[in-house]
Amino acid sequence: MFISAGDVAPSFKGFTLIMPAVSVGNVGQLAVDLLISTLNMPRVGYFHTDCLIPMVGNNPYATSTEDAAQLSTSAEVYSHSDLKLAVLQIRTPIIQTKVRSFRKLIVSWIKSSGFLRSVLLSSSHAYQRDDQQLHGTPLRYLLSPSLQKEEGQRVEELGWREMERISVFPEISDSEQRLYIPGGGVTKALYTDCCTEDIPMAVVLIFCSEGDNVPDAFALINHLNDWLHLLEKPTQGSVQWRVPPSWKLLFGSGIPPLLF
């Protein structure tokens, strides 16, 4: 359930929603961090649900000592009215027994809010790629049928590669194909739900491995920006994304000097 941070609930009608899947390397969440930090998006509400592991911490996007004291929770909504952009940042895993309930909650919120389209940023295990997925870019996309009508030609012009379907019975028969996103968390199921509910949904994902996934996050958000133009790309070079202060502790605090 969405809870507004202010006295008046914001309207998301006609907005684009961007959210991450909790997937391998947390790439989607890192990419969303870059987006919120760079656009300096204000928090407009919380996503209150018992489907996520509870969490509370300091403001990950603090720019001053006053901001740092602001508490953040497991799921929060940020907005940029000029860009008609809303971002749902999810910071904790979904409780295993409540995955279906969480999907229903997200689908219900998307429909009731009147979003123009929704984008799910995700990732998948690089080591479980099919032979046809080993060549070229590690970035893939999926469009629900309703969004395919609107944006299908555009992503083809960009030269994007659609997520390949793989054989249900490899090396035996290719007659039956399936969508397979290992390590993608809720990605496949939520995408399928949106297709069934006729919701305009795009999945943008990257094949990666666990480790330092910061480069993967930059690759994913730059790929998304090529389509949505959230930030203008300079004539030379690439978009300068602003890394949030919380990334200083991405791999924990430093080694205590007293150890040596």
Side-chain angles (χ1 to χ4, degrees):
M1 180 175 68
F2 174 75
I3 300 175
S4 174
D7 296 330
V8 180
S11 172
F12 298 125
K13 191 170 180 61
F15 275 47
T16 294
L17 170 67
I18 297 175
M19 60 176 288
V22 182
S23 53
V24 56
N26 305 102
V27 180
Q29 294 157 294
L30 292 172
V32 165
D33 264 354
L34 288 171
L35 185 59
I36 295 170
S37 179
T38 305
L39 295 177
N40 197 25
M41 298 176 72
R43 183 176 60 189
V44 296
Y46 311 84
F47 208 77
H48 180 68
T49 172
D50 62 355
C51 298
L52 296 171
I53 294 174
M55 183 223 77
V56 66
N58 289 344
N59 181 7
Y61 314 114
T63 55
S64 65
T65 51
E66 291 80 11
D67 292 342
Q70 189 180 56
L71 294 180
S72 62
T73 61
S74 57
E76 296 181 320
V77 180
Y78 299 80
S79 178
H80 195 299
S81 55
D82 292 342
L83 293 174
K84 284 190 167 294
L85 179 68
V87 174
L88 168 62
Q89 176 62 299
I90 300 172
R91 298 191 175 94
T92 61
I94 306 168
I95 295 172
Q96 200 166 16
T97 57
K98 297 190 175 183
V99 172
R100 182 171 294 184
S101 298
F102 181 74
R103 283 164 32 207
K104 287 182 179 178
L105 192 64
I106 291 291
V107 168
S108 175
W109 181 58
I110 290 174
K111 292 174 74 174
S112 64
S113 297
F115 288 111
L116 178 66
R117 59 192 168 195
S118 301
V119 181
L120 184 65
L121 299 180
S122 185
S123 50
S124 182
H125 284 301
Y127 73 88
Q128 287 191 268
R129 284 175 291 176
D130 189 62
D131 287 352
Q132 62 184 326
Q133 297 170 331
L134 294 173
H135 304 285
T137 177
L139 293 150
R140 295 292 188 275
Y141 80 91
L142 289 165
L143 297 179
S144 66
S146 56
L147 191 58
Q148 178 70 38
K149 297 173 187 175
E150 303 293 330
E151 298 290 342
Q153 185 177 351
R154 171 65 179 147
V155 295
E156 284 183 15
E157 290 170 354
L158 289 170
W160 283 20
R161 284 183 63 177
E162 188 175 5
M163 186 66 172
E164 299 87 349
R165 269 67 174 176
I166 67 169
S167 176
V168 175
F169 305 104
E171 301 181 13
I172 298 175
S173 171
D174 293 330
S175 60
E176 194 174 345
Q177 304 279 314
R178 63 168 175 156
L179 184 61
Y180 185 51
I181 310 177
V186 76
T187 303
K188 178 183 174 182
L190 186 56
Y191 167 74
T192 304
D193 290 343
C194 288
C195 290
T196 304
E197 296 287 336
D198 198 33
I199 294 173
M201 159 74 77
V203 175
V204 184
L205 64 83
I206 186 169
F207 292 115
C208 67
S209 301
E210 291 281 3
D212 181 359
N213 296 104
V214 169
D216 299 314
F218 276 100
L220 188 64
I221 197 64
N222 276 316
H223 196 58
L224 179 69
N225 194 58
D226 288 342
W227 171 36
L228 297 182
H229 301 292
L230 302 169
L231 285 177
E232 286 299 320
K233 194 173 183 179
T235 308
Q236 293 183 336
S238 57
V239 174
Q240 296 299 307
W241 300 98
R242 185 168 65 196
V243 172
S246 55
W247 282 23
K248 293 177 182 177
L249 301 175
L250 205 58
F251 300 103
S253 55
I255 300 172
L258 293 177
L259 288 176
F260 304 99

